[in-house]
Amino acid sequence: MSKIRQEIDRLDDQIHDLIVARADLVTRLAKSGAKQGIPYRPAREAQILRRLLKRHRGPLPAEALMGIWREILSSMTLIQAPMSVAVWSADHAPQYLALTRDHFGAGVRVRALQSSAQVLAAVETGQMSLGVLPVPGDTAAAEPTEVPWWLRFLRGDAHDLSIVARLPLLTAWAEAPQKVAAFVVARLVPEPSGNDDSLVAFECSPSLDDTAIGNLVSDAGFQLRSLVVYRGEPAAVACLAEVAGHVSAAAPRLSDLARRGALRPCVLGAWPVLSVNVASSVPTEDPTR
């Protein structure tokens, strides 16, 4: 037993030395001035985590590996520059705070705000680096007293903001679906990670039912993941489509969508997708995706 403990202590020292060495490299990168603006890069982080999950073996669960590395990555980001997160967390939804802290780690400053408008304003004005907002649904249950936050993007009121990540990052599809999910917004241009999804918003005629709207998206060449339809205004129906792949603002499919009857189609952002089969603890393709 004593020899095993000594070996564990030796490995702990090696792990610590490597973390210190990694932090030194990040410090050198920060001092070089090579990176400007917010140092948060969810696409790069997803690529790192995919690589580690692919080579992972042994009894340590994939979720535990993710938690360890997420804390390391978040801490390394803070070496480059301070980072803060505004979180939509109305009185009935403290779970979004927990989700945020779980993803971004202990060192990031987090501020709970009562409305999505406050979150967007805090990020847009630079008061906070990032914002966390609830994933929209077909009803206003997530935001019972507000117009859905994504309408601000559709109407051009979310200046220079994009969705750049979805929480939780890791989807363990062999278990029950996550009860809470959120989007991260920032003044960043989403980067492709190699496996991404995107949000496309548009308006259309109120005469179209949900099935016809879904067909509109698919006929324009998008692989539709999910669709949210907001019929809160009589003149037009607002639609939010989650689609496969990294879609840029210049994507030709947006023009095709407009030709098929969609009004003002726009991309709200894109985010890396990372899923794991918890039975085998290796990255895999979700059979529902």
Side-chain angles (χ1 to χ4, degrees), residues 218-231:
S218 298
D219 291 345
F222 294 102
Q223 183 180 344
L224 184 64
R225 303 288 198 204
S226 64
L227 179 68
V228 174
V229 178
Y230 179 70
R231 299 182 182 274

Side-chain angles (χ1 to χ4, degrees), residues 76-88:
M76 298 295 170
T77 299
L78 292 176
I79 290 175
Q80 300 175 63
M83 196 166 68
S84 55
V85 186
V87 184
W88 180 84

Side-chain angles (χ1 to χ4, degrees), residues 88 90-92 114-117 139-149 152 230:
W88 180 84
D91 294 337
H92 65 287
Q114 292 294 305
S115 73
S116 58
T139 69
E143 302 173 275
T145 62
E146 297 186 75
V147 172
W149 59 263
R152 296 180 175 88
Y230 179 70

Side-chain angles (χ1 to χ4, degrees), residues 167-188:
L167 307 182
L169 174 59
L170 180 68
T171 301
W173 56 260
E175 296 180 339
Q178 294 285 342
K179 293 183 179 180
V180 176
F183 284 123
V184 178
V185 298
R187 290 178 295 161
L188 296 170

